[in-house]
Amino acid sequence: KLDHLLVSCHGPDRVGLLHTFAQACHSHDASISESKMVRMGGQFMIMMVVSVEPSTTASFQAMLQQDLGNDVIVNCENMSTETRSLANISRSTTSARAGQVAYLHVQGDDRAGIVADVTRLLSSHSMNIERMETTVKPSHHSKPSVFEIKGMVQSHGPMEPAALLAAARHLEEELKKSGQAVKISIEFKGSAIINK
């Protein structure tokens, strides 16, 4: 039985950081099953689910920190100690993906609270966020910066797309009344139903 580690680390972006991580996994016969990596604010961030022999878990963690260096923060959480196996993780992931998938795109004036507004809309319709990326783009002619959200969301079980789209349009109108220009686009995978 393997240990299944949720490994996250971040530090100053530099060439070879991911290779060092992968090499530490390889030297301990550790298997990377899921991973996400992103560069943000000059920092490189890695999150992975790694399966390793229990007898080498401690040395793997020590080697990872040593090889990556003291300027990289490393955190390892053993999910196996929480009675969660990789099979359970896979089943829960498959179960979560049983609903409808939609692609989300939000664009508007940069302001406090826009993410809270959008996530409230999603949670009120039982939509789970699979992935989400936010960026701020400078605008021209002294206009406010443009805030943008891109992501993929998924429902927990059957849902009515028209209800979510109507709620998105309602939120746009409410924000417009308060002088905030926000456009919410939702495109359901494999469907012609789009709010643009």
Side-chain angles (χ1 to χ4, degrees):
K1 184 178 179 180
L2 299 175
D3 276 349
H4 304 293
L5 309 177
L6 177 59
V7 184
S8 60
C9 65
H10 66 87
D13 186 27
R14 65 173 185 264
V15 174
L17 189 61
L18 182 57
H19 172 68
T20 302
F21 190 110
Q23 187 59 41
C25 292
H26 178 65
S27 66
H28 282 77
D29 293 322
S31 175
I32 300 170
S33 56
E34 294 180 78
S35 65
K36 286 190 177 181
M37 290 143 279
V38 64
R39 184 170 62 84
M40 187 181 300
Q43 297 277 303
F44 191 74
M45 305 178 187
I46 301 171
M47 182 174 288
M48 292 186 177
V49 176
V50 178
S51 300
V52 62
E53 288 289 345
S55 60
T56 62
T57 295
S59 62
F60 167 69
Q61 295 181 41
M63 181 180 182
L64 200 57
Q65 182 65 77
Q66 178 182 328
D67 290 358
L68 290 174
N70 293 330
D71 60 340
V72 177
I73 297 173
V74 179
N75 182 63
C76 294
E77 178 183 350
N78 193 336
M79 295 186 292
S80 304
T81 61
E82 300 175 358
T83 65
R84 294 182 63 194
S85 67
L86 195 59
N88 289 334
I89 296 169
S90 298
R91 281 196 294 269
S92 68
T93 302
T94 302
S95 175
R97 292 177 179 169
Q100 291 180 272
V101 174
Y103 299 100
L104 174 74
H105 183 217
V106 180
Q107 193 171 56
D109 296 340
D110 184 27
R111 63 167 182 82
I114 188 170
V115 174
D117 287 335
V118 172
T119 52
R120 173 168 46 84
L121 168 71
L122 297 173
S123 63
S124 66
H125 287 79
S126 300
M127 299 297 292
N128 187 58
I129 297 170
E130 294 293 318
R131 62 173 180 261
M132 180 179 285
E133 176 183 342
T134 65
T135 55
V136 178
K137 300 178 180 179
S139 62
H140 304 288
H141 309 299
S142 301
K143 292 183 178 180
S145 297
V146 176
F147 187 84
E148 188 174 41
I149 300 173
K150 291 182 180 180
M152 186 176 79
V153 298
Q154 195 160 29
S155 66
H156 283 286
M159 59 89 65
E160 180 50 58
L164 177 60
L165 300 181
R169 288 191 294 269
H170 178 72
L171 176 58
E172 287 177 344
E173 290 301 317
E174 289 299 308
L175 294 174
K176 185 177 180 180
K177 290 176 183 177
S178 59
Q180 302 169 37
V182 176
K183 184 63 180 174
I184 303 171
S185 299
I186 302 173
E187 180 178 354
F188 284 86
K189 188 176 180 180
S191 172
I193 303 176
I194 304 174
N195 181 46
K196 286 188 174 180

